[in-house]
C-alpha cells in the first residue's frame, strides 16, 4: 500500500518514464497480491473457524462493522487528497496502514487463541 504513494526519488526530481512504469507495475502487483491474500483468508476462514451458528453470526456482525470502518477510512482519505500537496495524505495512509497491521496482528492472535481453546475443550 505504501509503495504506490511514495516515489522512488528522494530529491523530488522527476522520474524517467521507464522508472515510473516499473514503479507502477510493482505497486499494482504488490497491492493485488496483498488483496488476494486477504480475500482468500476472509472467504475461507469462516467455515473453518467454528460450527456454531452463534459464533458465525458474531463473526458476520464484526465483519460488517469492520466494513463500515474501512469505508470511513476511504472517505477520510478522499477528504485529505490534494494533488498539489500530498504530505497530509501520506501521513494519513501511514496511520491507516499501521492501524490495519495492528488489526491483522490482533485478529490472528485472537484466532489462534480461539482455535487452541477449542482444541483443548474437545479433548
Amino acid at each position: 500500500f505504501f509503495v504506490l504513494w511514495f516515489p522512488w526519488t528522494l530529491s523530488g526530481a522527476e522520474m524517467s518514464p521507464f522508472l515510473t512504469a516499473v514503479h507502477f507495475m510493482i505497486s499494482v502487483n504488490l497491492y493485488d497480491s496483498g488483496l488476494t491474500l486477504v480475500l482468500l483468508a476472509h472467504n475461507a476462514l469462516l467455515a473453518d473457524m467454528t460450527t456454531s451458528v452463534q459464533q458465525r453470526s458474531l463473526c458476520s456482525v464484526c465483519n460488517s462493522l469492520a466494513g463500515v470502518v474501512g469505508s470511513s477510512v476511504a472517505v477520510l482519505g478522499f477528504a485529505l487528497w490534494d494533488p498539489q500537496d500530498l504530505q497530509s495524505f501520506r501521513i494519513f495512509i501511514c496511520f491507516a496502514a499501521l492501524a490495519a497491521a495492528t488489526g491483522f496482528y490482533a485478529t490472528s492472535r485472537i484466532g489462534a487463541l480461539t482455535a487452541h481453546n477449542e482444541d483443548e475443550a474437545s479433548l
Side-chain angles (χ1 to χ4, degrees):
F1 184 71
F2 281 135
V3 175
L4 184 63
W5 301 109
F6 292 93
W8 290 350
T9 60
L10 296 177
S11 64
E14 290 289 321
M15 285 195 299
S16 70
F18 176 75
L19 189 58
T20 302
V22 171
H23 180 251
F24 177 74
M25 289 188 303
I26 289 174
S27 298
V28 168
N29 282 318
L30 287 174
Y31 181 81
D32 191 45
S33 298
L35 181 63
T36 301
L37 287 172
V38 169
L39 289 177
L40 282 174
H42 179 265
N43 291 331
L45 278 179
L46 185 58
D48 292 339
M49 283 176 33
T50 184
T51 56
S52 167
V53 175
Q54 291 82 13
Q55 287 290 330
R56 288 185 181 185
S57 291
L58 180 63
C59 288
S60 293
V61 168
C62 292
N63 182 27
S64 298
L65 292 174
V68 169
V69 171
S71 298
S72 64
V73 168
V75 169
L76 185 58
F78 181 73
L80 292 173
W81 176 257
D82 180 14
Q84 306 306 336
D85 181 25
L86 292 175
Q87 186 67 24
S88 60
F89 181 76
R90 287 177 178 164
I91 291 170
F92 170 71
I93 63 166
C94 288
F95 283 115
L98 182 64
T102 304
F104 278 121
Y105 179 76
T107 302
S108 67
R109 297 301 301 160
I110 291 169
L113 289 174
T114 303
H116 180 70
N117 290 340
E118 285 182 3
D119 287 343
E120 286 182 356
S122 66
L123 294 177

